[in-house]
Amino acid sequence: MAEQATWSDAEPRGGVAVQPALALHRVAKKFQAPPGTVDALAPLDLAVAAGEFVCLVGPSDCGKSTLLSLIAGLDSPTHGTIRADGRRVSGPGTDRVLLSQDAALFPWLDVQRNVEFGLRQQGMSALDRAKVARHWMGRVSLAGLERNSVHRLSAGIRQRVALARALAIDPAVLLMDEPFGALDAMTRDRLHAELQAIWAATRKTIVLVTHNTREAVALGDRVLVLSPRPGRVVAEFRIDLPRPRTLEDTALVERTRVVLRALRSGAQEEVGTP
Amino acid sequence: MRLRAVAAYTIFYAGVLGLWETVARSGPWPAHLFPGPLEVLAALVDGLRGGLFVRGALVSLYRIAFAFGVSVILGVGLGLLLGRVRLLDDTLGSLVRGLQVLPSVCWLPLALLWFGLDERAVIFVVAIGALSQITLGVKAGVQDTPPDYLRVARNLGGSGLALYTQVIFPAAKPAVLAGLKQGWVVAWRSLMAAELLFHALGLGSLLQAGRDLNDAARVMAVMLVIIALGVAVERLVFAPAERRLRERWGLADA
């Protein structure tokens, strides 16, 4: 496969070997599931360059969400090490923020206070908090909703609030776990466009997990295909299509097909003959 | 729709009063034991005018405010501790759950032995009844903090005391409010029970006084005052708090 990249190709654009934003070395995870244990992740290596947008696709239950919470430091690997910006990850940190599918907004706070939450933890003054929060709310089209209760918001708006809340504390890495999985197609397209614009402007390192192959190809610099449980990387593609990309792009559809094929053969390989 | 509800409400209570009056007039019981609504109303007006009911109600309200205040302070603190410290929940928590089964008026004899015929005995009985309710409500709220909220909060830099004040406690609000409401109901009931037995001015002892005077109309009038106060606290304190919470959180109507 022409698109398949080797490890040496996975250096940052420009080809300079700097310290990766994220470096996973032989990371594996087992869960206790009496009477035995379940292998969620097979030993896995991954390097993500600073400013890179990496998408992980894989069948459900392949450990992609587990991988994100390990990187976020909300769970610890059974084996292996994870480094973020060279420092070993041993717990959650504000340099890596995880965004989940259900947004997990705080219902006792209005939209702006949700966005300010992380800033408040840093002890920032109310005035500065409001300034930063308003900037990011404007960035993700939330202007005018500052004082709304979060429960009345649609799924797409909730995702925007979660994104603004994460961006407000200026993390180096955004970890996105199926952030658009519950959205209708129109809303998802808009959020794709906004996320690409934000990424282009801020150059955050993003690791996004999805089961939607086309979404992965549309957003990522690189797409990694994981096998069924225990997850490991079975294929890797560099997507060098020009941005901004849209889902209808013929070249994009073509790439998606190639990735899908890898996803299917990876799945068969694990399941074996029926 | 609203008008229909008002109409149904009016017709229902008119029916209740009519039935009551009919039974009082034609029923098998002597009139002084089963007075009709008019006699009860007269007794109520009499009691309110004379100031006795008002003083009794104020004394009862003072007692419950004091006792309930104490149990809120202790119960919220205790509930937070039990909710976060597993060892305490397994030990002290089981004791609290056990005590919850005991009707709080059962504490009265002991309280009278400890404090004598004193206000403190009544306050103690009322406070201890509400305490276990509130403690368990707060505990449940804290234990049921959705793990997602804590995960997000930690990820965004929350730690230590801030997690309690900014996440765990606010997330527990609906359960805390439910616990407070239940605690209040228990407190009100145990106050009335204690006052029946404890002969110093209060609504409960006014009931008892009515009985001693063989004055059924007066007993019923005091019962109406007790109901009215109970409903008033529910409507003026708990209902608005619940409504606010529902509006903000989008909770389903309970």
Side-chain angles (χ1 to χ4, degrees):
Chain A
M1 257 172 267
E3 289 88 348
Q4 185 127 19
T6 60
W7 272 110
S8 57
D9 293 335
E11 294 295 333
R13 267 166 300 212
V16 192
V18 293
Q19 181 146 276
L22 293 171
L24 281 68
H25 179 67
R26 310 304 290 163
V27 170
K29 180 70 183 174
K30 290 183 204 296
F31 285 112
Q32 297 296 323
T37 55
V38 173
D39 283 319
L41 273 182
L44 182 146
D45 290 306
L46 173 64
V48 180
E52 198 181 9
F53 198 143
V54 172
C55 293
L56 301 174
V57 286
S60 41
D61 242 10
C62 71
K64 19 187 221 301
S65 300
T66 306
L67 183 61
L68 284 195
S69 41
L70 293 179
I71 298 174
L74 297 166
D75 201 351
S76 45
T78 318
H79 299 290
T81 54
I82 300 174
R83 286 174 191 279
D85 200 23
R87 285 184 305 272
R88 190 162 174 174
V89 169
S90 60
T94 50
D95 56 327
R96 292 155 279 128
V97 175
L98 179 68
L99 291 158
S100 60
Q101 180 172 347
D102 69 354
L105 303 177
F106 302 127
W108 57 91
L109 300 176
D110 62 24
V111 169
Q112 184 171 333
R113 292 215 164 85
N114 262 281
V115 176
E116 289 179 5
F117 183 87
L119 303 171
R120 198 168 163 203
Q121 308 313 310
Q122 301 169 358
M124 190 185 275
S125 77
L127 212 66
D128 291 339
R129 286 204 304 259
K131 210 181 288 169
V132 176
R134 276 167 196 275
H135 168 73
W136 287 109
M137 284 188 289
R139 207 72 185 71
V140 296
S141 323
L142 286 173
L145 296 176
E146 289 85 357
R147 291 298 162 218
N148 279 47
S149 300
V150 295
H151 83 267
R152 283 191 213 286
L153 306 175
S154 67
I157 306 279
R158 292 173 63 85
Q159 240 1 293
R160 288 194 169 98
V161 178
L163 185 58
R165 183 172 66 177
L167 288 167
I169 62 170
D170 197 23
V173 180
L174 283 179
L175 304 164
M176 308 181 81
D177 188 2
E178 307 246 6
F180 311 123
L183 307 181
D184 63 87
M186 294 272 286
T187 312
R188 198 188 53 212
D189 286 356
R190 276 197 61 188
L191 277 164
H192 279 173
E194 284 178 21
L195 181 61
Q196 292 189 68
I198 285 168
W199 176 73
T202 62
R203 283 295 166 178
K204 298 281 177 208
T205 307
I206 300 181
V207 181
L208 182 142
V209 152
T210 176
H211 57 246
N212 183 337
T213 313
R214 212 202 280 197
E215 177 172 278
V217 174
L219 295 173
D221 291 328
R222 249 197 307 158
V223 175
L224 304 182
V225 178
L226 296 190
S227 68
R229 207 165 64 192
R232 59 190 178 78
V233 180
V234 291
E236 185 176 341
F237 300 89
R238 181 168 290 289
I239 312 297
D240 44 16
L241 301 171
R243 295 173 186 271
R245 305 169 185 161
T246 55
L247 292 178
E248 294 77 31
D249 203 335
T250 14
L252 194 147
V253 173
E254 192 45 51
R255 289 300 178 88
T256 306
R257 205 167 288 151
V258 177
V259 177
L260 256 178
R261 218 174 294 141
L263 186 62
R264 292 215 184 93
S265 65
Q268 269 160 16
E269 184 188 318
E270 291 296 320
V271 172
T273 46
Chain B
M1 204 56 205
R2 189 81 201 102
L3 198 69
R4 237 185 85 179
V6 172
Y9 191 85
T10 313
I11 292 168
F12 174 76
Y13 280 101
V16 168
L17 289 173
L19 188 67
W20 178 6
E21 183 66 34
T22 315
V23 172
R25 283 185 190 206
S26 58
W29 305 283
H32 75 280
L33 288 184
F34 198 103
L38 290 175
E39 286 106 303
V40 173
L41 183 67
L44 183 63
V45 170
D46 195 42
L48 290 173
R49 257 204 205 133
L52 192 60
F53 284 11
V54 178
R55 266 179 286 141
L58 286 177
V59 169
S60 291
L61 285 176
Y62 160 76
R63 284 178 183 147
I64 199 165
F66 192 94
F68 190 65
V70 170
S71 50
V72 167
I73 292 166
L74 293 178
V76 169
L78 203 54
L80 280 173
L81 275 176
L82 292 185
R84 295 306 293 180
V85 185
R86 185 63 195 271
L87 185 67
L88 271 181
D89 188 25
D90 289 342
T91 52
L92 188 58
S94 69
L95 181 65
V96 175
R97 279 187 290 278
L99 287 179
Q100 194 198 12
V101 181
L102 183 73
S104 44
V105 73
C106 298
W107 283 96
L108 188 65
L110 199 56
L112 290 172
L113 286 175
W114 286 348
F115 299 106
L117 271 173
D118 189 285
E119 280 295 305
R120 286 179 300 172
V122 177
I123 304 265
F124 174 81
V125 166
V126 175
I128 203 146
L131 180 62
S132 55
Q133 290 286 345
I134 295 171
T135 303
L136 294 176
V138 174
K139 186 197 81 130
V142 171
Q143 282 175 341
D144 296 345
T145 308
D148 272 0
Y149 293 157
L150 284 173
R151 214 172 293 144
V152 170
R154 288 210 179 91
N155 197 180
L156 294 171
S159 64
L161 192 63
L163 276 185
Y164 275 86
T165 57
Q166 291 178 40
V167 181
I168 294 170
F169 202 57
K173 257 189 215 164
V176 170
L177 185 60
L180 291 182
K181 193 174 158 185
Q182 276 165 12
W184 192 84
V185 170
V186 168
W188 187 238
R189 288 181 185 168
S190 41
L191 175 66
M192 291 307 122
E195 284 182 349
L196 274 174
L197 301 167
F198 177 77
H199 294 276
L201 184 65
L203 288 171
S205 47
L206 284 176
L207 282 176
Q208 193 66 298
R211 190 212 131 188
D212 293 341
L213 296 169
N214 223 0
D215 189 347
R218 184 167 177 167
V219 171
M220 287 183 177
V222 177
M223 287 167 73
L224 286 180
V225 173
I226 293 170
I227 291 172
L229 282 178
V231 171
V233 171
E234 153 70 28
R235 287 278 165 86
L236 298 177
V237 180
F238 290 105
E242 279 175 326
R243 201 178 318 121
R244 265 204 305 278
L245 206 59
R246 263 206 300 274
E247 275 163 13
R248 177 148 280 283
W249 290 54
L251 301 176
D253 286 64

